Amino acid sequence: MMWVGKAELVSAVANSGALGFLTALTQPTPEALTKEIARCRDMTDKPFGVNLTILPSINPPPYAEYRHAIIESGVKIVETAGYKPQEHVDHFKQHGVKVIHKCTAVRHAVSAEKMGVDAISIDGFECAGHPGEDDIPGLILIPAAADKVSIPMLASGGFGDGRGLVAALALGADGINMGTRFCATKEAPIHENFKQAMVDADERQTKLIFRTFRNTARVAANAISEEVVKLEREGKPFEEVAHLVKGGRGLEGYQSGDTDHGIWSAGMIQGLIHDVPSVQELVERIVHEAEEIIAGRLVGTLPN
């Protein structure tokens, strides 16, 4: 949810009864994150969390300072993702912060439980962003993880309606995690062109980039992602791709409305996105659909 997980969207998610997460690294400094947390708190009196993604980098962000900003701001739940989170998990736990760790493989979920996280989010191959390198779809990954972990688990990747929620529960998850679907809502702080692009796209309109660099990312199919895939197929090094995939370039696109300006994350759930509702409308619809499926279709199949 880079560039999207801001107070406008997160407070709307919280007010709808779901749990929203600010994206820590969307904010340029820990001080800016402190201000964004305060701004979100002004917009909702409901709980919300912060996502802190840890990725290998030549010039890594000051993660310890971001952690301090989160803790000092009184946030009580954090979603971690990425590379070797033990240091971060330990620090948050010392201050009574609940930690959900995002995983893309069963072995990572087992490891996260051993680290002491409170819950995991298991990301199937369908997800936007980084689906890992194993290419295991949620239909297999979710129950496989449920068989191995005892802590609560959220299902991620390919969820956006009541059918998905019921399926996730049936597969062993305790709830669902949505990213792309929340981007196509009225409150998402991105240009309307991107929301309409998600409505217009089908489930085939994504690209897997960075495969040759063993850092696979699923993004929307556009001119830039097509070019990145082409360069990778030609065996080009990352240095010849870097100018196309800079985060700042993606942000410029979100602001200007040019969907071909940079890369932007989108999952295969695009194929099930047909409108741009408010967050409240979306959450209520998902819950209502799920209740109807469980009470009607599923209960009706049980023997008397």
Side-chain angles (χ1 to χ4, degrees), residues 8 23 33 35 50 63 74 101-102 112 158-159 182 184 191 196 200-201 211 222-223 227 275 278 287 289 295:
E8 292 87 349
T23 308
L33 175 59
K35 293 178 181 178
V50 177
Y63 289 118
H101 186 62
K102 184 172 288 187
F159 296 101
F182 276 129
H191 197 283
Q196 189 59 45
D200 294 340
R211 300 235 80 178
N222 68 359
E227 179 65 14
D275 62 355
S278 71
V287 172
E289 286 177 351

Side-chain angles (χ1 to χ4, degrees), residues 3-164:
W3 312 126
V4 188
K6 297 180 179 179
E8 292 87 349
L9 178 58
V10 173
S11 62
V13 173
N15 287 331
S16 75
L19 182 63
F21 287 84
L22 295 171
T23 308
L25 299 183
T26 288
Q27 303 303 320
T29 65
E31 294 77 17
L33 175 59
T34 297
K35 293 178 181 178
E36 190 70 2
I37 292 170
R39 192 165 76 92
C40 192
R41 200 163 271 139
D42 286 340
M43 301 168 76
T44 182
D45 59 359
K46 303 293 194 301
F48 62 89
V50 177
N51 167 284
L52 184 63
T53 297
I54 306 104
L55 296 173
S57 175
I58 296 174
N59 298 302
Y63 289 118
E65 294 179 28
Y66 277 98
R67 289 199 313 265
H68 182 75
I70 293 167
I71 292 166
E72 288 298 303
S73 296
V75 171
K76 293 303 181 184
I77 186 163
V78 166
E79 180 189 60
T80 55
Y83 189 70
K84 293 184 178 180
Q86 186 72 71
E87 171 190 351
H88 310 284
V89 171
D90 290 345
H91 191 196
F92 285 127
K93 297 291 287 181
Q94 288 166 9
H95 290 84
V97 178
K98 300 290 186 183
V99 178
I100 302 171
H101 186 62
K102 184 172 288 187
C103 307
T104 59
V106 174
R107 62 188 182 278
H108 299 157
V110 171
S111 176
E113 182 172 12
K114 290 178 180 177
M115 284 184 200
V117 305
D118 298 281
I120 63 163
S121 174
I122 192 79
D123 274 25
F125 185 55
E126 305 92 334
C127 73
H130 294 278
E133 306 303 318
D134 294 340
D135 299 359
I136 309 297
L139 190 61
I140 303 301
L141 186 62
I142 297 162
D147 285 345
K148 295 290 187 179
V149 300
S150 59
I151 56 177
M153 183 178 73
L154 300 173
S156 295
F159 296 101
D161 60 23
R163 295 171 297 180

Side-chain angles (χ1 to χ4, degrees), residues 3 209-210 213 219 224-225 227-229 232 238 240-250 261-264:
W3 312 126
I209 62 173
F210 303 162
F213 310 127
V219 299
I224 299 297
S225 59
E227 179 65 14
V228 171
V229 170
E232 288 193 62
F238 181 74
E240 295 193 32
V241 174
H243 69 287
L244 296 171
V245 299
K246 291 189 300 183
R249 184 167 181 158
H261 186 73
I263 60 168
W264 48 284

Side-chain angles (χ1 to χ4, degrees), residues 161-163 166 284-294:
D161 60 23
R163 295 171 297 180
V166 175
E284 289 179 354
R285 180 199 303 169
I286 290 172
V287 172
H288 179 68
E289 286 177 351
E291 289 174 341
E292 282 194 330
I293 292 169
I294 293 169

